[in-house]
Amino acid sequence: MVYAFVLFCLSLFGFVGAFGVETDEMKSVSVIEGDTFTLQTDTEMKKDDLILWRFGAEDSPMAEVNRSAQSISVSESMKGFKDRLHLDPRTGSLTVRNIRTDHSGIYEVQIIGNKILRKTFNVTVYARLPGPVISRDCSSPSSSSYCSLVCSVVNVSDVTLSWYKGNSLLSSISVSDLSSSVSLHLNVEYQDKNIYSCVTNNPISNQTQHLDIDDLCQIHSDSECVCCCDSTKAVIQLVISALVGVATVVVLGFEITSRKAEQKRQTQTSTSVH
């Protein structure tokens, strides 16, 4: 009888507790790899409050603050966050230092007191953007009127690469998955005096490279000759290497044949003497 009463009380407590949970709308947070950011609880902890932080599908808390026990602890099982986490003892807010891209995911905090308050954060960590590089476009045929250019960026994901003329967008290309290289071409007149720039950006940052037409687009410049002749030079080098290889084989074959003939001649001479 007593056992049944205890079970009834526990069930009633759970029923009331379930309706005592307040859940905020999920917040989206974007940060750059290597930065430090803080997830705010937006509350002041009371003496008997307990705050639990979880990451992803982890069952056990990654960190917790217990005001009544005056303790702050970070789970050792969260190896990916080693020495990166800090908890505010007054608010329970969570700070992550030197964050990595694999720290993207869902962070949840439960503030347990007279009622339970639950907050969730969808954190997206973006890799730092490399700067775009502008160079002559060797793949395009040469022209007496236009200078062919290409803007490239390597090892990027979830970025947009764009050409601008002043503040006006000329062209752009976007990639979502990891890409080894992204390129965008542009033709400008040799005597063009407008300001051109190539920009790479993701949702929270950007990198800009301005075009120096006088430097890259000099007619009959040395850089143009190098640009146009790179492929021809590579072919010539391959042909020369092949010829050297063939010549080496011929010389070795001649030496081996000469040695065999000399040995045969010496053997015949020795036999005739005896």
Side-chain angles (χ1 to χ4, degrees):
M1 187 72 177
V2 175
Y3 179 71
F5 178 75
V6 172
L7 287 178
F8 171 78
C9 290
L10 290 174
S11 300
L12 182 62
F13 177 78
F15 179 78
V16 174
F19 282 89
V21 176
E22 293 184 6
T23 302
D24 281 2
E25 183 179 351
M26 181 183 294
K27 296 181 179 179
S28 296
V29 180
S30 298
V31 294
I32 299 177
E33 184 178 25
D35 283 356
T36 295
F37 78 102
T38 300
L39 299 176
Q40 303 285 355
T41 59
D42 297 325
T43 187
E44 184 81 22
M45 290 186 66
K46 298 179 176 62
K47 181 179 179 180
D48 296 327
D49 283 355
L50 172 66
I51 289 187
L52 303 176
W53 281 96
R54 286 183 171 84
F55 171 69
E58 294 290 333
D59 292 330
S60 59
M62 65 186 298
E64 65 180 72
V65 181
N66 190 331
R67 284 294 298 273
S68 60
Q70 296 183 345
S71 65
I72 301 175
S73 61
V74 177
S75 175
E76 295 182 358
S77 64
M78 305 298 291
K79 296 179 181 179
F81 291 92
K82 184 178 180 181
D83 301 326
R84 299 174 190 267
L85 303 180
H86 173 73
L87 285 167
D88 187 323
R90 184 174 57 85
T91 65
S93 297
L94 177 71
T95 297
V96 183
R97 296 184 292 265
N98 191 23
I99 194 167
R100 302 193 313 236
T101 53
D102 58 335
H103 294 156
S104 296
I106 303 299
Y107 292 73
E108 180 185 278
V109 60
Q110 286 188 350
I111 305 169
I112 305 171
N114 295 331
K115 59 183 179 180
I116 299 177
L117 176 62
R118 181 183 294 121
K119 294 176 178 285
T120 53
F121 304 85
N122 184 9
V123 177
T124 303
V125 184
Y126 292 91
R128 289 192 177 276
L129 285 176
V133 176
I134 302 175
S135 59
R136 293 294 293 268
D137 183 6
C138 300
S139 64
S140 298
S142 59
S143 169
S144 59
S145 301
Y146 290 92
C147 175
S148 296
L149 302 164
V150 61
C151 180
S152 304
V153 64
V154 298
N155 297 328
V156 291
S157 61
D158 196 17
V159 300
T160 298
L161 186 66
S162 309
W163 273 110
Y164 284 86
K165 179 180 180 180
N167 294 323
S168 301
L169 176 65
L170 296 178
S171 60
S172 65
I173 182 173
S174 299
V175 294
S176 55
D177 298 328
L178 181 65
S179 177
S180 58
S181 177
V182 183
S183 300
L184 196 60
H185 300 267
L186 176 71
N187 289 331
V188 296
E189 293 182 348
Y190 283 102
Q191 305 303 323
D192 196 330
K193 299 302 181 183
N194 289 294
I195 297 175
Y196 292 87
S197 57
C198 183
V199 179
T200 179
N201 68 280
N202 59 27
I204 60 174
S205 63
N206 64 78
Q207 293 281 353
T208 301
Q209 179 65 47
H210 295 287
L211 169 63
D212 188 339
I213 296 180
D214 293 335
D215 180 41
L216 284 178
C217 294
Q218 296 181 37
I219 302 177
H220 305 308
S221 66
D222 291 338
S223 60
E224 181 180 10
C225 292
V226 171
C227 174
C228 295
C229 298
D230 278 345
S231 58
T232 304
K233 182 179 179 181
V235 172
I236 292 174
Q237 288 177 340
L238 288 174
V239 171
I240 292 175
S241 298
L243 291 176
V244 170
V246 171
T248 302
V249 171
V250 171
V251 171
L252 288 176
F254 177 76
E255 289 184 355
I256 292 173
T257 303
S258 299
R259 290 178 182 176
K260 288 183 177 180
E262 180 65 22
Q263 290 176 355
K264 183 177 181 181
R265 185 183 63 77
Q266 291 178 354
T267 302
Q268 290 175 349
T269 301
S270 176
T271 303
S272 61
V273 170
H274 289 289

